[in-house]
Amino acid sequence: MQKFLKLLAVLILLSVSGKVFSQAGSVQLRNTGGLISSHSSIQEAYNAIPPTLTEALMIVIQSSYTGASEMYPIIFSARTGASITNTITVMPAAGNLNVSISSSMNNNPIITFDGADYVILDGRAGGTGTGRNITVANNITAGTSSNTINLINGATNNVVRNCILINATQNSAGPRTVSIGTAAANPEGNSDNQIINNVIDGGRTGLGINGTAANVNNNNLIRGNEIKNWSFAGIWHQTGVNNTTIDSNLIYQTAGFNITNPSGISIATTSTYNLTISNNKIYNVLSSSTSTSLTIRGIYTTTNPGIGSELYIYNNFVALPDNNNNAVTVYGMLFTGTNAYTIKLFYNTVNIAGTHIGGGANTVISAGIFKNSTNSGGTFEMKNNICVNTRSGGVMSGFHTGAAFNGITSNTLSMDYNVYFADAAGNGAFAVWEGVNYSDSVAYRTAANPQEQNTRFRSVTFVSPIDLHLSGASLNDLALRGSPVPGITRDIDGHMRNALLPSRGADEVALVGMSNLNSTPDKYSLLQNFPNPFNPTTQINFSIPNTAMTTLSIYDISGKEVAKLISGNLAAGSYSYTFNGKNLTSGIYFYRLTSGQFIETKSMMLIK
């Protein structure tokens, strides 16, 4: 019996020892030459890194890793000598496709970059490919600071990429899945960090960024992430932050939470900043709240931007379709504030839909884009945007509109080549200019003159309510052709934009019927159309020797313009345009080319 008890004790000891030491060797510290040392946790491996770096090091997580020996939060602290060449990369070993780093941390994160520089958390197995093989999760459901990833105290030049980052605190005020926080004692702030190609799932806020006035967070990049199932904001941009780029992210929810003011991107800062928001797809901003104060926004400036701030927003899809029917207001983009700041909106596509049951009297209760800032002395530029709003219902003295503009007359303006549409029975308005509703485009252009002279009121067909790529009749609709914006040469999908007649909105589609013939002529010319007479198409060829503002228009026998084929700056070259007269009646028509000081008109005959 005694021998049996001793054997049992040994077995129990071995069993327990197996659990204690099962993580031994599960994490390796390596350099380019090979293995330096083996460890039982990521933290232990990181602590083994010398205080001064002289080379690039890697913390490689093996398939035997379970996190059983970790002490949370895992802290990546500063190392002297860290640089663009002397980096520390944490990643799964090649072939290790499922690393889980998770715990339930109340008012603490799972991983903290505490003053760290040039640390890379790379979820790709072996550091190559496109996989997301690391999951970092904070499973706690409460706590104002229960984040998943923290960057604090002067964390710079770090990268979090290709990870799945989870946070379960949607119903608790404050916490974020990723927090780029403050650096109270470090003037460089938490700057030059990259959060790229991750799934960011949950949190009161998906990704929040805030610094201090003295120690500003500069030049952070948020790109290519799938940010979902947050409650308050997908991205929350706060005070003490400058030169942030938010690019090519998917920002959406699959279910709403009990909150009265969700936004895809919420910009809440009174400091002076530059912010670029480009190529994002924001859709299904939701709430389960039944409050009569519920408001839904895609992109929103919540407080007064500092004097001289600039918002540069281009190539975004914002889709708020037929849900949140009890919302008091729904805005694709909403800009507020009284300070003199700059808003630049180019090539965005916004779609608003649904049935309203609330709203205030004599107010804009839904809009694709709503400039409600009274920022005297500011600058407002808006070109080549599409705003469609088919939302209906609500207070009859409230109205649904494609776009609405207040405080316009006190701003420096550059507005043109936009498209607005509204289809709300009884209380729809294609556009609102300084509190006046317009459903007639001629009257609107008269009110906005000299702005908006090439803006159109027009229905647009999309692939779906949330997929805002152009479809159907809109694919080759010449009324949806805009004018080039310098510096924006690609669309939301990375496709090259037509350098002469780009599509309005975020989606560039090929224009059937026109191509540059790649020659550089030495004089202006407008050739006779061929064939002539024609039915219903004909080719119009012309050449211009210099880059110039160029228009090509069709007129009927009375001199009325029946089609504007081209309007914009064309580079020197020879061009061919295929005109389709299927919507015209038989008769004599004239086509006129105006380019710089050159004007020439020729006649043609349509016979059906």
Side-chain angles (χ1 to χ4, degrees), residues 19 107 112 117 120 217 224 250 266 281 329 478 487 525 552-553:
K19 289 181 180 178
N107 286 320
T112 292
D117 306 313
I120 303 167
N217 296 342
L250 294 178
S266 181
K281 298 175 182 177
T329 56
L478 295 177
S525 65
L552 179 62
S553 298

Side-chain angles (χ1 to χ4, degrees), residues 70-254:
E70 292 290 355
M71 295 294 292
Y72 297 102
I74 299 170
I75 299 174
F76 300 148
S77 54
R79 292 292 187 272
T80 302
S83 68
I84 194 169
T85 54
N86 295 346
T87 58
I88 302 170
T89 301
V90 181
M91 65 181 181
N96 186 7
L97 305 182
N98 187 18
V99 174
S100 178
I101 306 171
S102 66
S103 186
S104 296
M105 296 297 293
N106 187 23
N107 286 320
N108 273 294
I110 301 300
I111 295 176
T112 292
F113 293 73
D114 188 354
D117 306 313
Y118 296 98
V119 175
I120 303 167
L121 179 62
D122 189 341
R124 301 173 300 166
T128 62
T130 59
R132 292 169 172 149
N133 306 125
I134 288 180
T135 297
V136 185
N138 194 343
N139 300 316
I140 200 80
T141 59
T144 58
S145 301
S146 301
N147 306 323
T148 299
I149 300 282
N150 270 8
L151 290 90
I152 58 173
N153 297 330
T156 68
N157 296 287
N158 301 290
V159 180
V160 179
R161 65 175 300 160
N162 288 77
C163 295
I164 299 172
L165 309 174
I166 298 173
N167 191 281
T169 60
Q170 290 95 333
N171 293 310
S172 181
R176 306 157 181 189
T177 306
V178 177
S179 175
I180 304 177
T182 59
N186 197 321
E188 64 185 354
N190 299 298
S191 302
D192 299 292
N193 300 292
Q194 299 182 27
I195 311 298
I196 55 177
N197 297 329
N198 304 284
V199 172
I200 300 175
D201 188 346
R204 183 74 160 194
T205 295
L207 185 148
I209 177 169
N210 64 289
T212 65
N215 307 314
V216 175
N217 296 342
N218 274 298
N219 304 315
N220 289 291
L221 174 65
I222 304 163
R223 172 174 288 162
N225 303 284
E226 183 178 350
I227 304 173
K228 62 181 181 178
N229 296 333
W230 35 270
S231 61
F232 168 69
I235 296 175
W236 194 11
H237 179 279
Q238 296 179 272
T239 292
V241 179
N242 191 28
N243 295 321
T244 304
T245 298
I246 300 172
D247 178 73
S248 300
N249 302 283
L250 294 178
I251 304 174
Y252 68 96
Q253 294 167 292
T254 59

Side-chain angles (χ1 to χ4, degrees), residues 218-426:
N218 274 298
N219 304 315
N220 289 291
L221 174 65
I222 304 163
R223 172 174 288 162
N225 303 284
E226 183 178 350
I227 304 173
K228 62 181 181 178
N229 296 333
W230 35 270
S231 61
F232 168 69
I235 296 175
W236 194 11
H237 179 279
Q238 296 179 272
T239 292
V241 179
N242 191 28
N243 295 321
T244 304
T245 298
I246 300 172
D247 178 73
S248 300
N249 302 283
L250 294 178
I251 304 174
Y252 68 96
Q253 294 167 292
T254 59
F257 296 87
N258 187 16
I259 191 165
T260 60
N261 57 344
S263 302
I265 299 175
S266 181
I267 307 161
T269 172
T270 57
S271 55
T272 298
Y273 62 91
N274 293 328
L275 172 61
T276 298
I277 301 173
S278 56
N279 303 304
N280 300 283
K281 298 175 182 177
I282 303 170
Y283 59 95
N284 283 356
V285 178
L286 305 173
S287 173
S288 63
S289 172
T290 58
S291 169
T292 56
S293 63
L294 174 62
T295 183
I296 306 291
R297 292 79 51 108
I299 298 174
Y300 175 38
T301 59
T302 67
T303 52
N304 200 13
I307 296 173
S309 295
E310 179 175 301
L311 293 171
Y312 185 35
I313 302 175
Y314 67 93
N315 278 354
N316 298 283
F317 284 168
V318 179
L320 307 178
D322 55 348
N323 36 40
N324 295 306
N325 292 342
N326 61 314
V328 66
T329 56
V330 178
Y331 305 125
M333 299 185 189
L334 173 62
F335 304 99
T336 63
T338 59
N339 285 334
Y341 70 100
T342 295
I343 304 170
K344 296 184 176 182
L345 305 176
F346 305 131
Y347 293 113
N348 299 288
T349 303
V350 184
N351 184 44
I352 309 293
T355 304
H356 223 77
I357 60 173
N362 301 311
T363 61
V364 176
I365 56 180
S366 74
I369 293 176
F370 186 11
K371 179 192 178 297
N372 199 28
S373 54
T374 57
N375 54 334
S376 178
T379 298
F380 188 73
E381 300 182 21
M382 183 172 175
K383 189 175 184 181
N384 295 340
N385 300 278
I386 295 176
C387 299
V388 173
N389 187 357
T390 58
R391 198 167 178 85
S392 61
V395 176
M396 288 305 295
S397 57
F399 38 90
H400 306 282
T401 182
F405 309 104
N406 290 331
I408 287 291
T409 56
S410 63
N411 284 189
T412 300
L413 302 178
S414 179
M415 301 172 64
D416 208 356
Y417 292 96
N418 301 295
V419 175
Y420 311 134
F421 181 78
D423 184 24

Side-chain angles (χ1 to χ4, degrees), residues 2 75 94 130 148 163 234 386 403 422 435-436 443 446 579 599 603:
Q2 190 174 8
I75 299 174
T130 59
T148 299
C163 295
I386 295 176
V436 180
T446 299
F579 172 64
I599 301 175
S603 64

